[in-house]
Amino acid sequence: MAVESILSSPLGPPACEKDAKALQFVEEMTRNADSVQENVLAQILTRNAETEYLKGFNLNRATDRETFKSKIPMVTYEDLQPLIQRIADGDRSPILSSHPVSEFLTSSGTSAGERKLMPTIKEELDRRQLLYSLLMPVMNLYVKGLDKGKGLYFLFIKSETETPGGLVARPVLTSYYKSEHFKTRPHDPYNVYTSPNEAILCPDSFQSMYTQMLCGLYQREQVLRVGAVFASGLLRAIRFLQLNWQQLADDIRTGSLNPKVTDPSVRECMTRMMSKPDPELADFIARECSEENWEGIITRIWPNTKYLDVIVTGAMAQYIPTLDYYSGGLPKACTMYASSECYFGLNLNPMCKPSEVSYTIMPNMAYFEFLPHEPNSTRDSPARRLVDLADVEIGKEYELVITTYAGLCRYRVGDILRVTGFHNSAPQFQFIRRKNVLLSIDSDKTDEAELQAAVENASRLLRESNTSVVEYTSYADTKTIPGHYVIYWELLGKDSGESPSGRVLDRCCLAMEESLNSVYRQCRVADNSIGPLEIRVVRNGTFEELMDYAISRGASINQYKVPRCVSFTPIMELLDSRVVSTHFSPSLPRWTPERRR
Ligand code: AMP
């Protein structure tokens, strides 16, 4: 029942009093976007005035935008890296932030092959929590009755390490799920999960997925929404069900838990749930899962699902057709836009089509600036051109630049956004892409330089057969689950007759994987979210044909460059029709939670 009588919101009638307050907060923040931003900047500059970083720019305690913009440079992670390393090594002096650094958040963005380390402070958890608390009140405006059932969310923690100075380093979601904010969250009828905390917090990814799936199956009638953080994660869960449904059904049939689940706290809480055998449910699962055709499997098993809660914007858009196949085209809600550096904002119209998703940046989260995205601009002082949140223009593209409470100042996130409109005075952004990402399957991001280095590294193995790689390109193949990288190679043998053996080319696949960054290798080894890398050797002259094709479509012959990543169907078809052999990585690359440096 809507409670217009208690409080109303221009966004729509809130579902309950708590929602009304949350929506009112969204209204307040977005109506006063510019003044909120001014205050946020003043707060950050005041509290961090005595940090080594800000003192170095002689702000002299000024907290106004004008002085800030004229004195503080725009920076990248690499600029801050030496300072961040000192913090990681144990320097507790106020370097970037006056508040003590509580831990490092490890970004899926990498620097020199390793995850970037983002220093954070305790209170940032409250800010993240605040953004989370706005998501269901917005969703309840569009989907009614979510308090009558549960959400089946596949949520996982990842491994953590300690820096030499003793600070924990882990992904932001691991930090959040392990926090008291999450673990001891008060009961909210609109936000009940089928997965118990014990399953989400189990560090073993198989045991965690197994029990989360089992809980979802037991409570199948109650499930109203199915989700994961990213689309790739939900597809991984579907694949897991394909591979494990027999064992899951056996457990349900006998009321006893798979002995592979050994974590004592998980076993204890599952024993409570599995108090008696349920052969009827087991038969149902076996019947549905043994069918060859898995189309619509999500709604067959969880018939009351109203929507999928997964991010399908940015690199994840490649999974939309597969999600549609498994869910019979259920709506896909992209609810929020966030990063390790800072949580940015939310989608105020979460049931819209993926192509129409726009995120409203919440002006209280950090101080936001926008660098007009002009890829070919030669102007030399880009920091002068940064635009404030309230001043961006509809239709234009910008790179996001943030100043955070934790001490990042005018930091380039690397995301390119396009302004689609405004909610009150707060702009709304379509996520266009992340800069410099060539290939991505899950949270991995491989850029052109990394791919080039990997090809160079692997092609050394061809020397023994006097062969070299003359051209290459790549493709993120998401038709398999998990998806995998495909690299097309055109080879040139110096001695006719001697060509590399299949075994050598298999080893080249592994050598490429060994050279890729740690997020890629973690996805391969620990998360099993990327499949073995594949090399497809194409016949001589294929890349020349590729050029001819591009020129026939209007490319300039002088400016033609081999694309290092392809996705356009006719090009894929051309390449695939010229394949002479295919090779897969024969084993897993090396990966440990410890950083290589
Ligand atoms: P991380 O550094 O690992 O925390 O990843 C943060 C990055 O993930 C962002 O900077 C974006 O590039 C991407 N990302 C986060 N949320 C979204 C979203 N809703 N849509 C598209 N990309 C996103």
Side-chain angles (χ1 to χ4, degrees):
M1 183 187 58
V3 284
E4 283 132 296
S5 52
I6 305 170
L7 274 171
S8 68
S9 161
L11 288 163
C16 59
E17 195 171 350
K18 192 162 140 266
D19 283 12
K21 288 199 178 120
L23 298 175
Q24 196 179 29
F25 178 75
V26 173
E27 282 302 295
E28 265 168 42
M29 289 296 119
T30 54
R31 273 204 198 117
N32 306 307
D34 197 48
S35 59
V36 173
Q37 281 283 276
E38 193 166 16
N39 284 337
V40 165
L41 180 65
Q43 270 178 23
I44 293 174
L45 295 181
T46 306
R47 69 149 66 169
N48 287 336
E50 291 305 313
T51 58
E52 181 181 323
Y53 190 72
L54 283 185
K55 281 206 299 198
F57 296 108
N58 298 317
L59 272 184
N60 299 325
R61 302 203 146 266
T63 62
D64 61 292
R65 285 172 170 169
E66 193 92 329
T67 315
F68 174 73
K69 284 171 186 279
S70 66
K71 295 201 169 180
I72 308 291
M74 189 167 63
V75 293
T76 63
Y77 182 81
E78 281 65 32
D79 297 321
L80 300 180
Q81 214 267 341
L83 297 178
I84 289 176
Q85 195 58 50
R86 272 176 50 207
I87 303 172
D89 289 343
D91 190 334
R92 296 278 183 274
S93 64
I95 296 178
L96 292 172
S97 160
S98 62
H99 287 214
V101 171
S102 52
E103 61 182 307
F104 282 102
L105 302 177
T106 53
S107 162
S108 61
T110 55
S111 172
E114 294 293 332
R115 288 173 178 271
K116 292 176 184 166
L117 288 177
M118 297 299 167
T120 190
I121 55 176
K122 235 183 171 152
E123 65 166 53
E124 279 292 295
L125 256 173
D126 301 330
R127 241 169 242 116
R128 286 179 214 124
Q129 175 74 39
L130 178 65
L131 193 66
Y132 282 126
S133 75
L134 306 176
L135 304 183
M136 283 316 287
V138 172
M139 187 52 86
N140 290 335
L141 294 172
Y142 296 90
V143 185
K144 304 295 169 204
L146 290 174
D147 56 336
K148 306 291 184 292
K150 299 186 179 182
L152 165 55
Y153 282 78
F154 296 96
L155 306 175
F156 301 93
I157 57 164
K158 293 195 181 188
S159 61
E160 51 190 58
T161 54
E162 215 173 76
T163 67
L167 286 167
V168 172
R170 55 190 175 184
V172 62
L173 289 174
T174 300
S175 162
Y176 178 67
Y177 299 145
K178 286 188 162 184
S179 72
E180 291 307 312
H181 288 68
F182 180 79
K183 287 195 293 193
T184 57
R185 60 197 184 277
H187 176 78
D188 172 357
Y190 289 93
N191 213 4
V192 181
Y193 296 146
T194 53
S195 299
N197 287 356
E198 289 83 348
I200 295 171
L201 294 171
C202 174
D204 180 277
S205 63
F206 174 86
Q207 297 182 47
S208 176
M209 177 75 96
Y210 192 91
T211 42
Q212 295 196 52
M213 186 61 82
L214 197 53
C215 293
L217 294 173
Y218 268 112
Q219 301 169 69
R220 59 180 281 270
E221 307 269 359
Q222 296 172 56
V223 169
L224 301 181
R225 49 203 171 106
V226 174
V229 178
F230 290 112
S232 54
L234 182 53
L235 289 174
R236 194 147 43 97
I238 301 298
R239 179 75 189 140
F240 187 90
L241 184 61
Q242 273 173 346
L243 296 174
N244 294 283
W245 63 264
Q246 276 148 323
Q247 179 70 48
L248 288 157
D250 274 358
D251 287 12
I252 294 171
R253 188 179 308 284
T254 56
S256 61
L257 184 60
N258 182 349
K260 279 195 197 153
V261 179
T262 53
D263 184 304
S265 63
V266 174
R267 284 201 76 86
E268 197 192 314
C269 87
M270 290 309 290
T271 318
R272 267 177 269 133
M273 180 174 301
M274 305 175 74
S275 54
K276 60 177 184 359
D278 190 343
E280 212 175 302
L281 176 60
D283 285 346
F284 169 81
I285 289 160
R287 212 170 36 244
E288 290 298 337
C289 295
S290 60
E291 288 228 357
E292 191 113 319
N293 182 354
W294 271 49
E295 190 168 359
I297 193 75
I298 295 180
T299 37
R300 273 154 46 193
I301 295 193
W302 296 284
N304 300 316
T305 313
K306 298 178 187 229
Y307 66 95
L308 304 181
D309 191 342
V310 278
I311 290 176
V312 287
T313 43
M316 291 294 146
Q318 60 191 337
Y319 294 107
I320 293 173
T322 320
L323 282 178
D324 284 344
Y325 176 81
Y326 287 125
S327 73
L330 278 178
K332 292 160 288 295
C334 298
T335 58
M336 69 187 284
Y337 169 43
S339 76
S340 318
E341 293 91 328
C342 174
Y343 278 23
F344 305 124
L346 75 169
N347 180 359
L348 293 178
N349 185 14
M351 295 300 274
C352 70
K353 285 198 235 144
S355 58
E356 286 163 11
V357 172
S358 287
Y359 299 102
T360 304
I361 287 190
M362 287 300 286
N364 59 306
M365 300 302 290
Y367 181 63
F368 298 100
E369 292 175 281
F370 298 84
L371 177 65
H373 182 54
E374 298 156 2
N376 302 320
S377 168
T378 49
R379 283 197 255 170
D380 54 6
S381 177
R384 296 229 162 262
R385 293 184 287 124
L386 288 179
V387 175
D388 275 324
L389 182 68
D391 298 332
V392 294
E393 292 174 48
I394 292 181
K396 289 206 171 150
E397 287 186 9
Y398 299 90
E399 183 184 336
L400 181 60
V401 176
I402 56 173
T403 297
T404 66
Y405 286 89
L408 299 176
C409 281
R410 311 194 95 187
Y411 174 92
R412 296 173 79 156
V413 174
D415 289 349
I416 309 293
L417 312 174
R418 183 185 298 136
V419 185
T420 54
F422 280 81
H423 179 73
N424 297 321
S425 59
Q428 302 183 298
F429 297 91
Q430 188 180 4
F431 181 91
I432 299 297
R433 63 188 173 84
R434 199 177 164 96
K435 269 178 21 186
N436 302 332
V437 174
L438 205 61
L439 288 166
S440 173
I441 293 285
D442 188 35
S443 53
D444 56 304
K445 299 168 179 68
T446 296
D447 69 23
E448 203 167 318
E450 288 170 320
L451 182 65
Q452 167 80 22
V455 170
E456 275 170 18
N457 229 8
S459 61
R460 286 200 193 107
L461 299 174
L462 301 176
R463 281 190 198 148
E464 61 193 53
S465 53
N466 252 330
T467 303
S468 57
V469 179
V470 278
E471 274 306 353
Y472 68 92
T473 190
S474 67
Y475 166 63
D477 187 347
T478 52
K479 287 193 284 293
T480 57
I481 305 178
H484 69 288
Y485 288 12
V486 174
I487 320 295
Y488 292 92
W489 273 10
E490 185 172 320
L491 302 177
L492 180 69
K494 307 236 166 54
D495 311 326
S496 56
E498 200 177 353
S499 57
S501 68
R503 255 195 66 236
V504 168
L505 285 160
D506 291 350
R507 277 172 46 222
C508 288
C509 297
L510 183 59
M512 285 198 71
E513 295 198 303
E514 290 287 1
S515 313
L516 293 172
N517 67 47
S518 74
V519 178
Y520 175 90
R521 287 178 285 111
Q522 182 173 8
C523 287
R524 273 285 279 134
V525 177
D527 307 343
N528 197 13
S529 58
I530 303 183
L533 183 143
E534 178 182 358
I535 289 178
R536 294 184 189 161
V537 177
V538 293
R539 130 167 137 219
N540 284 358
T542 302
F543 278 83
E544 214 171 300
E545 285 186 69
L546 208 66
M547 179 173 78
D548 292 343
Y549 180 79
I551 289 164
S552 74
R553 288 176 52 91
S556 146
I557 201 160
N558 296 322
Q559 287 169 337
Y560 177 79
K561 284 195 218 72
V562 175
R564 291 305 179 206
C565 183
V566 292
S567 57
F568 186 51
T569 310
I571 292 197
M572 309 296 312
E573 284 171 359
L574 191 155
L575 286 166
D576 281 330
S577 67
R578 305 295 188 272
V579 170
V580 289
S581 62
T582 59
H583 310 271
F584 286 93
S585 196
S587 55
L588 292 170
R590 268 166 298 181
W591 176 81
T592 60
E594 279 72 40
R595 302 167 72 82
R596 276 188 178 169
R597 282 173 302 139

